[in-house]
Amino acid sequence: MSHNTFGHLFRFTSFGESHGPLIGCVVDGCPPLIELTEADLQGYLDKRRPGQSRFTTQRQEPDQVRIVSGVMTEEATGRQLTTGTPIGLIIDNVDQRSKDYGEIRQQYRPGHADFPYDAKYGIRDYRGGGRSSARETAMRVAAGGIARKVLEGVRIRGALVQMGPHKIDRQRWDWNAVDDNAFFCPDPQAAREWETYLDGVRKAGSSCGAVIEIVAEGVPPGWGAPIYGKLDAELASAFMSINAVKGVEIGEGMAAAALSGEDNADEMRTGNTGLPHFVSNHAGGILGGISTGQPIVARFAVKPTSSILTERRSVNRFGAEVDIRTKGRHDPCVGIRAVPVGEAMMAIVLADAFLRHRGQTGAPATRWPFPRPA
Ligand SMILES: Cc1cc2nc3c(=O)[nH]c(=O)nc-3n(C[C@H](O)[C@H](O)[C@H](O)COP(=O)(O)O)c2cc1C
C-alpha cells in the first residue's frame, strides 16, 4: 500500500494500525537546530487523546510519544535540538480489544472502509478498522507539533463551530472558551446546549456530525504557489485526508456562491503595518493560491460516526446479506477529536509552504512594497 506520505519539503510518513503494537511516523525535512522535546508534542496529543470525557470513545490510550531519531542534546546548553535528519516518532497502542471485532471479520460495516479495502487488497485488518482507523491521526498531531516549531510567529487554532444541526452564534465567539468545555467550542452557551444534545445522541446509541474551523494567524503574504501547488488546494487535500471528512471550505466557501461581486471581493486600503489592509476576509487569506497576509480560515465537515448501536443492513465478503450492530468503543461525534487533527494538518501544510517559499525566493518575509521606478 502506498500513499502514506504527505508533504514536499516538510513531509511525514505514518505507519501502524489501530490494533497493532504501535503507531509511528517519520518526519523528514525538518530544519536543523530547532529545540524539540517530547513535551513539545505531548500537549497536542493530549488534546486528541481518547477517553477524556463521556463524549469521546472510552478506549484508554495514554498516547505517550517517543522521539527515537533526528534530535541530539547540545552539550554546552543541554538543549535537545533537531539535527536535520529524519525524526522518528513512536506511540504504543496499549488498549486494543480485538475481541470486540470478531463478529465483523467477514462483514462490511456500513459507512466504514471495510468493503473498499477488501475489494482493493483482498485482505483487510478488521480489528478496529486497521489502517483505516483514525488511530493514525495521532501521528499527524505529533508531526503537526514539529511543524508548529518550524512556523515561528504563526498561531494556529481550531474550534468546533457546529455539532449536528446546531451552529454556534459567531457573535459570541471567544477563543478563551475553547479549552473550557469538552467540545473545543468557542461559544460557551452553545457548548452548554450541546451537552444535552450529545448526551441524548449518545444514550440513544446514535451519532452526529460536526463542522470544525481552523484559523492560522501570522502567515505573511507569499506562501503557496500558483496553479498546481495552490495553498488552498493543499489545505483541502490535507483536511480531506482526515477520516470522516466529507467537505472542506476556505474563507466564505460554499456561501460565496450566493454573494455579489461587491460583497465578496475583499477591498484594500493602505495599512499602518506597511502591508495592505484588507477591509474583509471573504477569501480566507488566500488569493491565486498564495497567502495574502490575512488570517487563513478553513472549515471542514465530518460525517456522523458510522459505528452505532442500531442494527444496520449490509453484506458479508461472501455476498450474503447480514444485519450488523457495531459493538466496541466509539466517539458519538468524531468532530470533537478532529479539532487537534485539523490544527495539525494546517501546521503541516503551512510548514511545507514556508520551506518551499524560502527555497524558491530565499526570503521568508515579503518584499512588498516594491520601489517605484525612478
Ligand atoms: C478523531 C477521529 C475519531 C474517529 N473515531 C471513530 C469511531 O470511534 N467510530 C467510527 O465509526 N468512526 C470513527 N472515525 C471515522 C472513521 O475512521 C472513518 O469514517 C472510516 O475510516 C471511513 O473513512 P471515511 O469516513 O474517511 O471515508 C473517527 C474519525 C476521526 C477523525
Side-chain angles (χ1 to χ4, degrees), residues 48 57 109 111-113 132-135 137 240-246 302-308 329-332 334-335 337-338 341:
R48 196 214 71 102
T57 174
R109 295 166 301 167
H112 278 275
S132 73
S133 161
R135 183 93 193 100
T137 60
M240 229 3 151
S241 75
I242 300 171
N243 310 50
V245 172
K246 294 311 259 185
V302 296
K303 68 188 190 184
T305 320
S306 302
S307 297
I308 49 175
R329 300 152 296 174
H330 302 284
D331 289 286
V334 302
R337 292 173 57 227
V341 182

Side-chain angles (χ1 to χ4, degrees), residues 340-355:
V341 182
E343 290 176 345
M345 292 314 285
M346 173 73 91
I348 289 163
V349 169
L350 290 180
D352 192 28
F354 158 58
L355 293 178

Side-chain angles (χ1 to χ4, degrees), residues 268-288:
M268 297 158 85
R269 309 305 297 150
T270 35
N272 48 16
T273 59
L275 287 173
H277 167 71
F278 288 86
V279 177
S280 54
N281 189 15
H282 297 289
I286 303 171
L287 289 170

